[in-house]
Amino acid sequence: MRRKDLDYILITAMLLSGAYATLSGLVADLFGFPQFFLHRYAGYLCAALTLVHFTLNGRRITLYLRHRWRKAEQTPRTSTPVREQVRPSGRRQFLIGGAAAAVGFIVGRALPARVRPQPSLDTTDLGELYHQWSKPGYSHILGVVSDWGERPEQYRAYPETQKITLPDPRGYRGLSLEEAIGTRRSIRNYTTVGLSLEELSRLLYAAQGITARQGLRASPSAGALYPIELYPVVHNVAGLEPGLYHYAVREHALELLRQGDLRAAVVKASLGQGFLGQAGVCFALTALFQRTRWRYRERTYRYVLLEAGHIGQNLYLAATSMGLGACAIGAFLDDEWNNLLQVDGVTEAVVYVISVGST
Ligand SMILES: Cc1cc2nc3c(=O)[nH]c(=O)nc-3n(C[C@H](O)[C@H](O)[C@H](O)COP(=O)(O)O)c2cc1C
């Protein structure tokens, strides 16, 4: 076979496998295939063909690039045209190609991998083990790119429920940010005065409201994946029936999940902390772990809790800015809260609670 023919065959195969890898990648993304082997092998084939092609034509490509570079710099051109400088590639190119592949393989192997400590008798602290275990290595970061996971729905919806549209939260001018930061405290004494619907609307907007056209929200989120859902348990808000609601982020609305006085249940689920029953509203923050896991895998638990913290602080500052009191609650019975919200505690679980009331 002539060299030119081989080049054409290689380039055509490269283009076809590249196009197939792109298309299968799109299909995998569209349907959320976790491990789409047809995509993976097409990608490997394309990479192998590219390597062979570069091995055969490396010299020609480098000469061409060098020539273009010189031309761009407007330095005097070499008298010999590029075509004439090109020498057919021989054993040297194969060796260089092979060496490059070997170096790539060795570097890939040698890059610090994730630290996966074996459970040791020295520690019984799962958090410590998890923290060590979830440290990424460089090879892990590269691996994430090729790891297609199943991405769940971005928005939780309860279509069968009654929807309550919330007033526009924008335009309110409360305390300055500096004043809110300077005066924020965890407040556990609330008066019997309820919250207004406007106040509740501003709190939800500060926590998770959509603040940019692309769907970006008030609190930051790793990869803009937004794993946290907000469930306000309303005790005393003007114009709202007491009960359990879900915040529909897209519509900036509430969905009524369960009507009724949930004060006793909330206090019981929070290890008897009575002030949760005096608050106007208690915000339960749940995490839908898979929303983050499909991309960040073992980093998920870190990110999800960090994000709950961001949302909690926004709630604190928004409440302070409006003259309300807020308190974070981390001491609660997980299963009781999960049962209250009717979430399974595994795929979706309560991770944080914030009470807000009038002071
Ligand atoms: C993660 C976390 C969990 C908390 N859990 C509780 C709780 O269960 N009950 C409570 O009364 N306060 C709780 N707090 C509030 C802290 O007690 C409070 O932030 C701390 O005493 C400092 O006071 P300050 O917030 O007024 O600055 C929690 C705070 C955080 C950040």
Side-chain angles (χ1 to χ4, degrees):
M1 191 190 298
R2 282 192 312 154
R3 176 60 201 287
K4 218 171 166 188
D5 294 335
L6 180 66
D7 275 347
Y8 280 129
I9 291 170
L10 265 177
I11 290 167
T12 314
M14 263 167 64
L15 286 174
L16 285 176
S17 58
Y20 185 81
T22 311
L23 273 178
S24 54
L26 287 174
V27 170
D29 197 24
L30 202 63
F31 294 101
F33 295 155
Q35 297 285 333
F36 195 34
F37 72 98
L38 290 176
H39 169 72
R40 202 164 1 129
Y41 294 140
Y44 285 151
L45 179 66
C46 187
L49 288 169
T50 310
L51 184 70
V52 175
H53 181 66
F54 192 76
T55 307
L56 293 176
N57 297 288
R59 185 176 168 74
R60 235 198 291 184
I61 294 168
T62 0
L63 278 173
Y64 174 76
L65 289 175
R66 230 183 269 160
H67 170 70
R68 298 300 303 179
W69 175 258
R70 278 202 205 122
K71 211 171 163 196
E73 281 191 335
Q74 291 184 335
T75 51
R77 285 174 58 172
T78 51
S79 50
T80 332
V82 175
R83 264 189 165 281
E84 285 169 34
Q85 292 179 32
V86 174
R87 270 189 285 139
S89 15
R91 234 175 342 156
R92 215 169 112 213
Q93 270 67 41
F94 273 108
L95 283 175
I96 292 171
V103 168
F105 182 76
I106 291 164
V107 170
R109 288 264 153 174
L111 278 175
R114 267 168 293 172
V115 182
R116 288 194 185 282
Q118 294 302 311
S120 98
L121 293 177
D122 298 342
T123 180
T124 49
D125 183 352
L126 273 182
E128 194 184 314
L129 278 176
Y130 166 70
H131 193 79
Q132 297 305 320
W133 185 79
S134 60
K135 284 180 183 169
Y138 292 112
S139 55
H140 168 68
I141 292 168
L142 295 177
V144 165
V145 178
S146 62
D147 189 37
W148 303 90
E150 194 173 340
R151 185 179 185 176
E153 287 286 316
Q154 182 66 74
Y155 296 97
R156 165 72 87 234
Y158 293 91
E160 305 300 319
T161 56
Q162 182 195 339
K163 262 206 175 70
I164 298 110
T165 316
L166 290 162
D168 189 343
R170 293 163 299 181
Y172 175 79
R173 297 281 170 269
L175 294 184
S176 70
L177 177 67
E178 291 72 22
E179 284 172 308
I181 290 173
T183 53
R184 181 212 62 82
R185 281 276 76 80
S186 291
I187 308 289
R188 300 172 184 86
N189 295 314
Y190 307 119
T191 67
T192 50
V193 179
L195 267 64
S196 68
L197 201 57
E198 284 76 16
E199 285 169 332
L200 178 59
S201 170
R202 284 178 218 131
L203 287 166
L204 289 164
Y205 185 73
Q208 278 284 269
I210 294 181
T211 49
R213 250 188 301 169
Q214 309 87 335
L216 300 173
R217 305 189 192 175
S219 297
S221 171
L225 297 172
Y226 303 107
I228 305 289
E229 291 288 329
L230 270 176
Y231 294 85
V233 181
V234 170
H235 300 325
N236 193 358
V237 175
L240 275 186
E241 289 293 334
L244 172 66
Y245 293 80
H246 169 252
Y247 176 45
V249 177
R250 256 180 311 189
E251 299 91 349
H252 187 62
L254 286 174
E255 290 162 331
L256 177 58
L257 304 184
R258 188 171 148 199
Q259 204 171 316
D261 182 350
L262 296 173
R263 284 177 294 186
V266 161
V267 171
K268 185 167 167 265
S270 307
L271 294 160
Q273 301 187 75
F275 63 91
L276 275 94
Q278 279 127 38
V281 59
C282 295
F283 296 93
L285 277 61
T286 68
L288 277 133
F289 299 103
Q290 184 58 20
R291 280 199 194 146
T292 299
R293 192 188 285 124
W294 72 274
R295 181 176 286 171
Y296 294 116
R297 298 190 285 182
E298 47 274 272
R299 302 289 286 177
T300 297
Y301 200 59
R302 295 174 181 237
Y303 291 171
V304 158
L305 296 185
L306 291 169
E307 291 182 32
H310 281 294
I311 294 169
Q313 183 70 356
N314 273 16
L315 280 171
Y316 256 110
L317 293 178
T320 310
S321 159
M322 291 187 278
L324 303 169
C327 186
I329 294 102
F332 55 81
L333 297 166
D334 294 68
D335 291 341
E336 298 248 354
W337 261 106
N338 291 331
N339 287 341
L340 193 76
L341 266 58
Q342 297 280 289
V343 295
D344 65 12
V346 178
T347 55
E348 181 175 9
V350 176
V351 290
Y352 209 12
V353 178
I354 315 279
S355 63
V356 178
S358 301
T359 56

